[in-house]
Amino acid sequence: MSASTGTGWAQLRQQARTLESQTESLFHTYSQFSTSSNISPKPTEDEQKTEAQILDILERREALISQLTRLLDSESLLTASALKQNNLSRHREILLDHRHEHARLRSSIQEARARANLLPNVRSDIAAYRSSQHNNPGAAEEEYMLDERRRIDNSHNMTDSVLSQAYAINESFGAQRETLASINRRVVGAASQVPGINSLIGRIGAKKRRDGIILGSFIAICFLGLLYFR
């Protein structure tokens, strides 16, 4: 049972490391869309495909971490090593960092697209408004107000997207805190099951206190001797 558990742990960790490397590579490709000199008004097919791949890999990594957690919980307190606990925590930290990086890159692309399209849109709107003023002033003003309304709605949608990503990151922080608390409980439980560990710790503490008393007494005697022979 222990050998099969170890094999399963090693295979799952290898998959997690492979997906982490793939995520880094996709981030490099995804970041180039924000630095493009001729960024398109809307996300291109390549941009959408890259982001979909990133989201898919992030979800697969989340599932792998859940499998690793269940596998570690199935082991006894004495056989579950601190190294495995640290490995699991590290995978969680990297996943959280990558989710944050994806949100940052996505926001950067949206800002670059907004900057690139702002001036042409303003010029186009002004030209269209002036042209329509000669034909139908009332309809032109109504159309302008509708355009402004659409811009406000788009801004609200972008804000909602950023907030949802922030909530997801906050939930990941909560899961990480739970993992650290679980690790602490397992370590304390394992230490309490080792025979004589508490008495050994007590004897070590008593020896430290005794050494402190002896050292303090020696210093006091030396100090009194200096005062006496001065």
Side-chain angles (χ1 to χ4, degrees), residues 73 85 176-187:
D73 290 339
Q85 298 281 7
Q176 186 175 3
R177 286 195 296 269
E178 288 295 329
T179 300
L180 293 176
S182 175
I183 292 173
N184 182 63
R185 289 194 297 268
R186 293 172 70 92
V187 171

Side-chain angles (χ1 to χ4, degrees), residues 135-226:
N135 301 325
N136 192 342
E141 183 176 357
E142 182 179 355
E143 182 65 23
Y144 180 79
M145 296 301 295
L146 290 175
D147 288 340
E148 288 297 319
R149 178 63 181 179
R150 283 194 290 268
R151 291 192 184 93
I152 294 174
D153 290 340
N154 291 334
S155 177
H156 288 170
N157 292 334
M158 184 180 299
T159 302
D160 292 339
S161 176
V162 173
L163 287 176
S164 63
Q165 292 170 3
Y167 289 139
I169 293 173
N170 184 56
E171 291 177 359
S172 298
F173 273 123
Q176 186 175 3
R177 286 195 296 269
E178 288 295 329
T179 300
L180 293 176
S182 175
I183 292 173
N184 182 63
R185 289 194 297 268
R186 293 172 70 92
V187 171
V188 173
S192 64
Q193 291 191 8
V194 177
I197 187 67
N198 293 328
S199 60
L200 177 61
I201 294 175
R203 287 198 297 271
I204 293 174
K207 185 176 183 302
K208 288 183 178 180
R209 288 193 297 272
R210 184 189 64 189
D211 292 342
I213 293 173
I214 294 173
L215 181 61
S217 301
F218 177 74
I219 294 173
I221 292 172
C222 291
F223 181 72
L224 292 174
L226 289 174

Side-chain angles (χ1 to χ4, degrees), residues 40-118:
S40 61
K42 295 183 179 180
T44 63
E45 183 178 352
D46 289 340
E47 179 183 338
Q48 293 176 340
K49 181 179 178 181
T50 302
E51 184 176 18
Q53 289 177 333
I54 292 174
L55 293 175
D56 177 66
I57 289 181
L58 292 177
E59 292 304 319
R60 288 162 60 187
R61 287 169 56 188
E62 185 73 48
L64 281 174
I65 290 176
S66 298
Q67 289 180 305
L68 287 170
T69 302
R70 289 193 297 269
L71 192 62
L72 192 60
D73 290 339
S74 66
E75 298 182 4
S76 64
L77 293 174
L78 297 179
T79 58
S81 66
L83 178 61
K84 289 184 177 180
Q85 298 281 7
N86 292 334
N87 290 336
L88 180 58
S89 297
R90 183 55 183 160
H91 285 306
R92 286 188 180 275
E93 291 173 359
I94 295 175
L95 177 59
L96 181 61
D97 290 341
H98 282 177
R99 287 192 182 278
H100 183 69
E101 179 66 10
H102 167 252
R104 187 190 68 82
L105 290 175
R106 184 179 183 185
S107 177
S108 177
I109 293 174
Q110 290 175 342
E111 291 175 0
R113 177 170 287 114
R115 286 195 303 268
N117 297 326
L118 178 60

Side-chain angles (χ1 to χ4, degrees), residues 1-41:
M1 178 67 179
S2 178
S4 62
T5 301
T7 302
W9 175 270
Q11 291 176 346
L12 290 175
R13 279 211 65 214
Q14 180 60 40
Q15 294 178 29
R17 288 194 295 267
T18 300
L19 291 179
E20 287 169 358
S21 298
Q22 292 179 6
T23 306
E24 293 285 352
S25 177
L26 286 171
F27 277 160
H28 176 71
T29 302
Y30 192 54
S31 64
Q32 294 178 354
F33 292 108
S34 64
T35 58
S36 177
S37 58
N38 55 347
I39 187 169
S40 61

